[in-house]
Amino acid sequence: MTYVTSNSVPDLVKAFQALSADHQLALFYFIYKEMGGSITPAAPGASTVSPAIAEGLFNQVKALSHDEQLQLQRDLIEKKDTELGREYGALSDTTKLLFWYRLAQGMDSSDIIPLPSGYELPSEAADLLSQIKTIDFQKQITLFRDIVAPMGFDATGSFNAENSAQPVT
Ligand code: 45D
């Protein structure tokens, strides 16, 4: 069953968020795999990205056991109030994206808990993936930013002013 009725970014964000935390993680990793080489850390418009901060957070996660890494990623999605969730919540949206990108790369090198072998994407997530593939690259980036933006814990209890000027379309 699919939640999405149109392929607008806000609807796709809602559909993504309607998945369980585990299905969001799985889908996000499949997205990373699909995008492959089209993500370059030197992408234009990277003015609000802080690679050193993303790397510092990544290294904290890398130092944990695989089970803890998985729990931590679930906690980010579920916006739990954790130390790392607060650090994450203070990042700009693009730095959040870079952090997730580094985690996905870490899965490929087994620094981060990989998907179980032979894991298949659940059908609702697979449906959503095929819809995401139909939107253009720029909208995909906006979609991923909107997905990672609310994750973690916002210790200020309000929207991050650094990100508030970003278009939602
Ligand atoms: O056992 O402007 C399951 C920058 C099941 C540059 C599991 C950029 C049970 C600046 C839960 C599945 C590069 C930042 C296990 C732009 C089970 C700039 C585990 C663009 C083990 C635009 C699942 C960046 C797990 C972009 C661990 C486009 C899943 C970045 C983990 C895109 C999934 C990043 C992860 C993407 C997915 C990252 C970590 C798509 C990460 C995806």
Side-chain angles (χ1 to χ4, degrees), residues 78-150:
E78 288 166 357
K79 305 180 193 180
K80 297 255 172 71
D81 183 1
T82 64
E83 186 61 37
L84 191 122
R86 284 172 177 251
E87 291 178 45
Y88 177 94
L91 304 178
S92 75
D93 293 348
T94 309
T95 306
K96 289 174 182 168
L97 208 44
L98 181 57
F99 168 69
W100 281 105
Y101 174 65
R102 292 292 293 119
L103 288 177
Q105 285 184 316
M107 291 170 73
D108 291 342
S109 59
S110 293
D111 285 323
I112 303 297
I113 183 172
L115 249 54
S117 65
Y119 183 91
E120 282 184 37
L121 204 53
S123 62
E124 326 88 273
D127 283 354
L128 192 50
L129 179 60
S130 44
Q131 280 168 297
I132 291 169
K133 284 194 212 165
T134 68
I135 65 174
D136 69 46
F137 184 74
Q138 207 46 56
K139 278 195 175 167
Q140 288 177 346
I141 299 293
T142 304
L143 171 68
F144 305 146
R145 264 203 203 105
D146 289 352
I147 284 171
V148 300

Side-chain angles (χ1 to χ4, degrees), residues 20-29 58 60-80 82 84 99-100 103 107 110-116 119 151:
S20 69
D22 278 18
H23 292 178
Q24 290 185 39
L25 281 174
L27 172 56
F28 210 31
Y29 183 71
F58 170 73
Q60 286 185 45
V61 180
K62 194 173 126 175
L64 301 173
S65 72
H66 275 185
D67 285 349
E68 288 170 326
Q69 291 171 348
L70 179 55
Q71 191 54 47
L72 181 146
Q73 293 178 72
R74 289 173 171 149
D75 288 349
L76 283 177
I77 289 176
E78 288 166 357
K79 305 180 193 180
K80 297 255 172 71
T82 64
L84 191 122
F99 168 69
W100 281 105
L103 288 177
M107 291 170 73
S110 293
D111 285 323
I112 303 297
I113 183 172
L115 249 54
Y119 183 91
M151 291 177 179

